[in-house]
Amino acid sequence: MIQKKQIRLDKYLSDCTPLTRSQIKADIKKGQVTVNDIICKDPGYKITPEVDVICHKGQRLNYQKYHYYMLNKPAGVLSATEDSEQKTVLDLFPADIRKGLFPVGRLDKDTVGLLLLTDDGEMSHRLLSPKKHVEKTYLVHTAEALCDEDATAFSRGITLKDGTLLKSTVLKIDQNDPHIAHVTITEGKYHQIKRMIASRKNKVIYLKRISMGSLTLDENLPEGAYRALNESEITSLLSNNNLQSH
Ligand code: URA
């Protein structure tokens, strides 16, 4: 028989609540945590996450091995975990949540919008794998008006100035303003959208990521704010349906 993994009660609470270590210890000591309906005041008590029912202040906790957050990245911060001089996206998270998190891919410092942060390396790897062709949609504002020839060139496949031939992409120009478009790409080349627009002798003046795979930026999230993904967003991202290999 395979033995199910056991972990300490305080570690369990730390994994599935945003509480600090000292809050967890205090709440356990105060008798606010139950294991299978019995108050447990021992932070080191060993529990089996798949089997035991843990409640905190009467609320049943769901064990989450990994954590997933969407951030509406503001301009001016780096998509990195740390930097000696500049502010990073991790600096937008409190220390307790930040542990183990990293951004899934990068947005340029001046790009805003959807950035997924997680401690799930496998999911990150799958989302970023070139073989998976995960769609990323961006809202683009350009210095010059976009035209039908640009859309045609995008759909034929843009050749960048360094000779790189890109896959066919959809450039959907806004009907009311030709300086605005949505672009959906499946590759993730360095500065890809800016270089694609530059190849059409135009310039990106604003870039916002709207979606990545099945995940869409929550319109209620102001720039600089984050929220945990809900269960259906996580299930959908983890399902292979939107991460097909070709
Ligand atoms: N393409 C870019 O040029 N910049 C980004 O940040 C993302 C895609």
Side-chain angles (χ1 to χ4, degrees), residues 139-147 150 177-181 193-194 197-198 200-207:
L139 171 68
V140 192
H141 292 198
T142 53
E144 310 299 332
L146 294 156
C147 59
D150 293 324
D177 187 343
H179 298 82
I180 299 177
I193 304 270
K194 289 175 185 161
I197 295 289
R200 300 296 304 163
K201 306 202 167 26
N202 201 337
K203 191 174 179 339
V204 170
I205 54 170
Y206 174 81
L207 189 58

Side-chain angles (χ1 to χ4, degrees), residues 9-17 19 24 33 54 56 61:
L9 183 60
D10 54 0
K11 164 89 172 99
Y12 180 91
L13 268 97
S14 158
D15 282 351
C16 57
T17 72
L19 298 170
I24 290 168
V33 177
I54 316 300
H56 173 244
L61 301 178

Side-chain angles (χ1 to χ4, degrees), residues 98-147:
R98 202 185 304 165
K99 61 184 175 193
L101 288 186
F102 53 84
V104 177
R106 281 168 192 273
L107 292 177
D108 295 338
K109 188 174 170 185
D110 57 354
T111 301
V112 300
L114 177 66
L115 190 64
L116 173 65
L117 289 105
T118 184
D119 46 7
D120 181 347
E122 201 180 311
M123 185 223 250
S124 168
H125 184 74
R126 285 199 293 144
L127 279 169
L128 297 176
S129 163
K131 286 190 207 133
K132 302 288 181 187
H133 305 276
V134 173
E135 288 191 344
K136 285 142 293 208
T137 298
Y138 293 84
L139 171 68
V140 192
H141 292 198
T142 53
E144 310 299 332
L146 294 156
C147 59

